[in-house]
Amino acid sequence: MFSSDELRENYLKFFEEKGHKRIASSSLIPHNDPTLLLTTAGMVQFKPYYLGVAKPENPRMTSCQKCFRTTDIESVGDASHLTMFEMLGNFSIGNYFKKEAIAWAWEYVTQRLNIPAEKLWVTVYLDDDEAIALWKEQGVPEGRIVRLGAADNFWGPAGDSGPCGPCSEIHYDFGQEMGCGQADCNPSCKCGRFCEIWNLVFVQFNQDKSGKRQNLPAPSIDTGMGLERLTILMQSRKNVYETDIFAHVIEKACQLSGRQYGIDAETDKALRIVSEHSRGITFLIADGVIPDKAGRGYVLRRLLRRAVLFGRRLGLEKPFLVDMAGAVIARMSGIYPEIKKRQAYVLEMIASEETRFSETLATGLELLEEIVRQTKGGQISGQDAFKLYDTYGFPVEMTTEIAAERGLSVDLGGFEAEMEVQRTKARSSRKFSFDAAATAEAVKNMRHGEKTCFVGYELTRQKSTIMDILTEGGTVDSIEEGDEASIVLDESPFYAEMGGQVGDTGEIITGGGRFEVKNTLHLPNGVFLHQGRVISGCLKIAETAAAHIDEERRRDIARNHTATHILQTALRQVLGEQVQQRGSVVTPERLRFDFSHLKPMTKDEIRRVEEFVNDKIRRNLPVYAEEMPYRHALEEGVTALFGEKYGDRVRVLRVGRPAVSAELCGGTHVSASGEISLFKIVSESSVGAGLRRIEAVTGREAEAYINLQQDSLSELSGMLEAAPEESPRKLAELKEEMDTLKKTVQNLERQMSRGEAEELLSKAEDYKGIKLLVSRMTSVNTDTLRETADFLRDKLGSGVIVLGTVSEDKPFFLCMVTPDLIEKGYHAGNIVKKLSQIAGGGGGGKPNMAQGGGRDKAKLDEALQAVKGML
């Protein structure tokens, strides 16, 4: 019996013997392919080869690719569905085609795997007579070759566009007794008799987003054989969870939960979900995915939370996914060493996310059960589903799945409407540098559609021609003093806002006018818009113009941009290789850099990062750019941003020889690191789960920042009458004295309030058959007020107590109701709510105790006088 590891190695060696180069699995995050959320097939990393935009080192390749598909997440838990799986494949880029692919496939399954030929059937695309003839040459009887349509035997692109073509599949026949019993049963039947084990795709076309297909430069081969499915077959198991692929992970889930696999269906389902999702979670995080509210981060969060939910059904109340991930790493790291290399980061990320969700899970489940009880008509409302998502972190798919178990559905349309309201609020709170709708309209109406030629890498001034002028009213032939407009030049030294770097400013000057450029934008069609206003004269279309950027501002931007590149290297050196850039903003004043990291940086880590960057500045390293093919850059290890779309040729920006930093970048930079002058981090903060943000300054702004800090320290030391280096100690001593005095004052307040409380007892009156005590106390802090109320309640035994005071120049109310009166309908929270409203504020609480405040202290007495009317 083959082990799964033996099957993987057996396959790869077979094709190496056929002249194929073994290629390592690529990341689950597709590089340079925005058409895909995650890597879904073995051919994804080879798409540029199929499209003819890059050339492989060897036209024959073989790989075992880790893949991830999101379509069946809710189905995971049955005996067959997976999210992450391994795809064995052999690939030909314009080298061999159907004849060799079919012959080698048949040789492998019948001779290397020793599967009996009589147990195998094949399917082909409807009109693929060539494939049928080739299968017959291998000895496959015509009766076991089936023609099927596009739904079964035409392989579409991986994404919304890309290479595609007809395919032919090999199916294993479990025997007539395992199927429907019909005489015409064949691999198109879904009765369970047949199992597809290998798909041979004959890649002939490139399909665009509209569905239109064109012939590829050369026909190629893309095959896929699922390792998990093959292992089930070769190990004679009923499902993948009974193979050696999952045995170790299932065992860990059983060990943690005290449950046994194979006893009852519900337990088996939960064990499978916990085990399968633990594997997917581990690999996603190791490849750089972090939990998020959208995209691949949402997929990760959804898997993790679904695993936690089903873990609860196994009795796993405490965090357990770190242990599960450890089992995955122990089992799989020999094949995929990256999960071992990033183990600490993976486990820390899982612990953080699981703990965060666990804190709200119990409350969320209670709310969901309450919603289920109150639901009428068989459907949970979109508002309720959104509340579970927004407040308690329940992915709507998880709510839908739980609801289905109760025989209910979810109003997904209503949920999406609530989501859109939230998105609208988020969009309105942001500040955009330009109106996207107006920009799109400008592109549509533009008379000049050719790309602007950017010359700003070498030049800061350039003679050019005004090709178009755009205003709010559309395109115009001329603009005059005071007019606001956007000018299009055929050549421009102005850098257009892109990749986090702000656009250049400056002037455009003609013989008759002067135009102040306040920003430069990059349109989708490659045209630059120079936005601003005419400060004198008149500018006309087709005029020759002199374009001058603000050179000092550009130098400030360049200092900050080059610093971000060195900063990223520094963060990886100090915090670990798992650090990935998640965004950046480069302005003249400062730089902002977002990166993946789970916890706040320590003072020591911040200092070490600063020291690293400043050391590279002092070394005055050369900064230079070169163009090269995209794949060549990746092979050299150049840093690229996930989710960005790069062209066939890219610009690589390097700092130092050998390079301290090498990144794909189209921005403007200094020519040597010494020009940065000085680097200083001014803040480090959180911007979301697993995301941190550094803001820093360089050059002139760094000097200004340090001078400001020095001035502040000097002023403080003067006030403390201490030398600057002694100021922290002196300030700590003063704080200690203040804390002591504060405690003394509080103790005096307590003594005074206790005496005041003794006097208050005599003011308690009988009102409607209960003891009522309402009083304003002299200004005390809220803690003392609560202690006073506790004392009065204990002394009264039964009653309603309402106290008010002015704290921090605002009115504050506190109400207590004894248990016997709560039973009669008196409610402290309702009383405080009404009191606070009178004083222009809000508050509330439990029936026995509540507190609240207002904004108008002059209303304090009026509110207290209204208490009787509230009872």
Side-chain angles (χ1 to χ4, degrees):
M1 181 177 74
F2 287 101
S3 72
S4 57
D5 290 344
E6 287 170 340
L7 283 171
R8 188 189 297 106
E9 185 62 22
N10 181 294
Y11 180 93
L12 296 172
K13 278 189 175 179
F14 175 83
F15 281 99
E16 282 182 317
E17 292 167 8
K18 303 295 184 185
H20 292 65
K21 178 179 174 62
R22 186 185 299 208
I23 304 296
S25 173
S26 64
S27 170
L28 286 173
I29 303 178
H31 270 291
N32 204 35
D33 193 344
T35 68
L36 284 174
L37 186 69
L38 294 161
T39 298
T40 56
M43 63 81 63
V44 168
Q45 66 169 313
F46 305 128
K47 280 174 71 172
Y49 300 150
Y50 286 111
L51 294 170
V53 298
K55 188 176 180 180
E57 186 179 321
N58 186 327
R60 298 182 182 186
M61 293 170 287
T62 185
S63 71
C64 182
Q65 173 67 49
K66 52 190 174 184
C67 301
F68 201 102
R69 294 180 185 170
T70 62
T71 50
D72 298 317
I73 290 177
E74 291 91 346
S75 300
V76 170
D78 62 12
S80 58
H81 289 91
L82 299 173
T83 56
M84 191 201 129
F85 58 97
E86 296 178 82
M87 184 70 79
L88 298 165
N90 58 285
F91 310 90
S92 164
I93 310 299
N95 186 263
Y96 61 84
F97 200 45
K98 294 182 184 180
K99 181 178 180 179
E100 293 86 351
I102 287 172
W104 292 338
W106 193 252
E107 178 186 349
Y108 182 72
V109 295
T110 60
Q111 296 181 34
R112 289 296 177 93
L113 297 182
N114 296 316
I115 298 176
E118 62 271 17
K119 300 291 288 182
L120 299 172
W121 290 55
V122 296
T123 62
V124 298
Y125 188 54
L126 282 172
D127 59 1
D128 197 346
D129 296 330
E130 181 186 3
I132 290 177
L134 290 168
W135 283 117
K136 287 181 178 179
E137 286 182 17
Q138 299 304 314
V140 183
E142 187 169 358
R144 293 211 303 271
I145 302 174
V146 182
R147 296 177 187 262
L148 297 178
D152 295 289
N153 279 84
F154 192 95
W155 199 251
D160 58 10
S161 60
C164 59
C167 65
S168 182
E169 299 171 336
I170 302 177
H171 294 255
Y172 182 83
D173 182 1
F174 288 103
Q176 192 171 2
E177 66 279 6
M178 297 295 291
C180 58
Q182 299 296 318
D184 60 349
C185 184
N186 65 49
S188 67
C189 184
K190 307 302 181 185
C191 66
R193 171 180 169 181
F194 296 94
C195 173
E196 176 208 329
I197 60 173
W198 205 347
N199 188 5
L200 316 178
V201 182
F202 310 128
V203 186
Q204 298 174 238
F205 310 107
N206 181 37
Q207 180 174 304
D208 63 22
K209 292 181 180 180
S210 69
K212 184 179 179 182
R213 295 173 186 152
Q214 292 183 329
N215 287 323
L216 287 169
S220 300
I221 290 294
D222 160 28
T223 82
M225 177 186 281
L227 177 64
E228 289 80 3
R229 189 174 294 182
L230 181 63
T231 304
I232 295 170
L233 181 65
M234 299 306 296
Q235 295 182 2
S236 301
R237 303 299 186 190
K238 293 178 182 178
N239 60 66
V240 69
Y241 298 100
E242 296 177 4
T243 69
D244 67 337
I245 291 175
F246 270 99
H248 186 60
V249 187
I250 288 280
E251 182 183 347
K252 174 57 72 172
C254 290
Q255 176 190 330
L256 292 171
S257 64
R259 303 297 180 91
Q260 190 174 344
Y261 186 77
I263 299 299
D264 68 87
E266 284 304 307
T267 297
D268 284 358
K269 178 181 178 180
L271 287 168
R272 289 168 179 170
I273 289 171
V274 166
S275 300
E276 198 281 342
H277 287 359
S278 295
R279 195 168 78 135
I281 290 162
T282 301
F283 276 84
L284 285 172
I285 296 174
D287 276 356
V289 181
I290 61 175
D292 203 350
K293 288 188 174 182
R296 55 181 70 98
Y298 182 69
V299 172
L300 170 59
R301 178 163 283 170
R302 186 175 157 197
L303 250 65
L304 196 148
R305 295 184 174 186
R306 190 168 186 259
V308 171
L309 177 66
F310 279 90
R312 291 295 184 274
R313 298 184 185 183
L314 293 170
L316 293 167
E317 297 295 330
K318 295 180 180 180
F320 63 92
L321 284 176
V322 166
D323 291 328
M324 290 299 300
V328 172
I329 293 169
R331 171 67 183 85
M332 303 292 291
S333 59
I335 309 301
Y336 300 101
E338 62 271 20
I339 62 174
K340 181 67 175 178
K341 180 180 178 183
R342 298 165 190 157
Q343 178 172 349
Y345 173 72
V346 169
L347 300 184
E348 193 173 4
M349 174 70 79
I350 289 173
S352 173
E353 183 70 9
E354 183 178 8
T355 300
R356 186 179 293 107
F357 182 52
S358 296
E359 290 170 353
T360 59
L361 177 60
T363 307
L365 285 172
E366 287 177 11
L367 176 61
L368 178 54
E369 290 301 330
E370 181 63 27
I371 291 169
V372 168
R373 283 194 294 271
Q374 296 180 4
T375 295
K376 297 177 181 179
Q379 187 177 65
I380 292 174
S381 71
Q383 291 90 337
D384 283 338
F386 180 76
K387 182 178 181 181
L388 285 164
Y389 164 80
D390 195 46
T391 307
Y392 299 102
F394 277 43
V396 68
E397 296 85 359
M398 196 165 85
T399 300
T400 303
E401 189 173 348
I402 297 172
E405 293 173 356
R406 310 291 200 279
L408 301 172
S409 63
V410 175
D411 177 10
L412 297 178
F415 173 83
E416 186 54 39
E418 294 291 325
M419 284 290 291
E420 186 54 38
V421 170
Q422 187 186 64
R423 293 187 195 108
T424 301
K425 288 179 180 177
R427 284 194 292 267
S428 65
S429 68
R430 297 181 190 133
K431 295 180 180 179
F432 289 91
S433 56
F434 63 97
D435 187 314
T439 301
E441 191 65 24
V443 173
K444 189 190 305 181
N445 297 327
M446 198 174 292
R447 291 173 289 194
H448 174 78
E450 295 182 14
K451 291 183 178 181
T452 302
C453 177
F454 177 59
V455 298
Y457 291 135
E458 300 82 20
L459 303 170
T460 57
R461 300 182 173 218
Q462 174 68 14
K463 282 192 176 180
S464 189
T465 301
I466 298 177
M467 305 303 294
D468 222 332
I469 302 175
L470 291 84
T471 65
E472 284 190 358
T475 57
V476 296
D477 292 332
S478 64
I479 45 177
E480 298 180 350
E481 186 173 334
D483 289 345
E484 293 190 349
S486 295
I487 291 177
V488 177
L489 303 174
D490 61 343
E491 295 184 318
S492 175
F494 286 80
Y495 182 84
E497 183 176 334
M498 190 166 48
Q501 179 176 328
V502 296
D504 279 331
T505 62
E507 290 186 331
I508 297 173
I509 304 167
T510 66
R514 184 183 294 267
F515 182 87
E516 180 186 9
V517 179
K518 296 182 178 179
N519 192 22
T520 310
L521 300 178
H522 186 281
L523 298 186
N525 61 355
V527 171
F528 288 12
L529 287 184
H530 303 78
Q531 296 182 315
R533 61 187 287 276
V534 183
I535 54 177
S536 66
C538 172
L539 288 86
K540 301 177 182 177
I541 197 167
E543 273 190 309
T544 299
H548 301 168
I549 70 168
D550 182 334
E551 296 183 40
E552 193 60 44
R553 182 176 181 274
R554 163 75 78 81
R555 282 192 286 270
D556 288 336
I557 294 170
R559 291 184 187 101
N560 284 332
H561 201 160
T562 305
T564 64
H565 286 225
I566 305 174
L567 170 61
Q568 180 164 200
T569 302
L571 288 169
R572 289 182 174 177
Q573 288 275 340
V574 173
L575 303 179
E577 287 298 315
Q578 78 281 352
V579 168
Q580 292 179 5
Q581 180 179 345
R582 296 297 182 183
S584 68
V585 175
V586 179
T587 71
E589 295 78 25
R590 62 179 53 203
L591 65 91
R592 191 178 80 198
F593 189 83
D594 295 347
F595 59 100
S596 56
H597 192 54
L598 292 170
K599 55 190 177 184
M601 293 174 65
T602 64
K603 288 182 179 179
D604 179 64
E605 287 170 339
I606 291 173
R607 182 164 296 159
R608 285 162 58 198
V609 166
E610 286 182 336
E611 288 172 350
F612 182 97
V613 177
N614 283 312
D615 175 70
K616 302 305 175 280
I617 292 171
R618 287 191 296 273
R619 292 174 185 271
N620 198 28
L621 303 173
V623 180
Y624 53 99
E626 59 179 317
E627 287 197 356
M628 63 175 63
Y630 173 74
R631 290 198 68 85
H632 184 192
L634 290 189
E635 288 165 3
E636 288 190 5
V638 173
T639 300
L641 279 177
F642 285 129
E644 289 290 324
K645 175 64 177 176
Y646 297 100
D648 302 333
R649 292 190 64 79
V650 291
R651 183 173 184 260
V652 177
L653 195 286
R654 301 182 195 272
V655 179
R657 288 190 177 94
V660 170
S661 166
E663 296 186 31
L664 300 186
C665 183
T668 59
H669 291 266
V670 297
S671 59
S673 63
E675 295 174 37
I676 299 171
S677 177
L678 180 64
F679 171 85
K680 183 67 182 174
I681 293 174
V682 298
S683 70
E684 191 273 347
S685 61
S686 170
V687 286
L691 279 178
R692 308 297 300 177
R693 171 173 293 170
I694 279 178
E695 295 197 41
V697 289
T698 66
R700 296 187 298 169
E701 289 295 330
E703 291 174 10
Y705 175 80
I706 289 173
N707 287 337
L708 177 62
Q709 301 300 307
Q710 183 65 44
D711 291 346
S712 299
L713 181 58
S714 295
E715 185 176 351
L716 180 63
S717 62
M719 294 169 64
L720 293 171
E721 297 180 348
E725 63 272 16
E726 289 293 316
S727 295
R729 182 187 59 78
K730 186 68 178 289
L731 189 59
E733 290 174 354
L734 284 174
K735 184 178 182 302
E736 188 176 345
E737 289 179 21
M738 288 291 292
D739 289 342
T740 302
L741 289 171
K742 186 176 180 181
K743 289 177 182 177
T744 301
V745 170
Q746 288 175 344
N747 288 332
L748 289 172
E749 280 186 352
R750 286 193 186 96
Q751 293 173 17
M752 293 173 64
S753 64
R754 180 61 58 88
E756 192 174 351
E758 295 279 2
E759 293 180 12
L760 284 176
L761 283 172
S762 62
K763 295 183 179 180
E765 59 181 303
D766 289 327
Y767 181 76
K768 292 186 177 182
I770 66 169
K771 289 181 182 178
L772 174 64
L773 198 165
V774 180
S775 181
R776 171 174 179 161
M777 296 193 68
T778 53
S779 296
V780 294
N781 63 58
T782 55
D783 289 337
T784 302
L785 195 70
R786 279 190 286 270
E787 291 176 8
T788 302
D790 286 336
F791 171 80
L792 293 170
R793 179 198 58 207
D794 294 342
K795 290 291 185 180
L796 284 177
S798 173
V800 174
I801 301 161
V802 180
L803 302 178
T805 190
V806 175
S807 177
E808 297 180 359
D809 210 39
K810 291 181 180 179
F812 182 82
F813 304 98
L814 187 143
C815 176
M816 285 189 176
V817 177
T818 54
D820 59 313
L821 297 183
I822 293 173
E823 295 175 1
K824 295 181 179 181
Y826 294 95
H827 193 291
N830 295 338
I831 295 171
V832 166
K833 182 178 180 182
K834 294 174 183 177
L835 289 170
S836 300
Q837 288 173 345
I838 293 173
K846 297 178 180 179
N848 64 317
M849 197 280 281
Q851 60 188 43
R855 290 187 293 272
D856 187 356
K857 64 182 180 181
K859 297 282 187 179
L860 177 64
D861 293 329
E862 179 185 337
L864 292 174
Q865 290 168 9
V867 170
K868 288 183 178 180
M870 300 173 188
L871 301 178

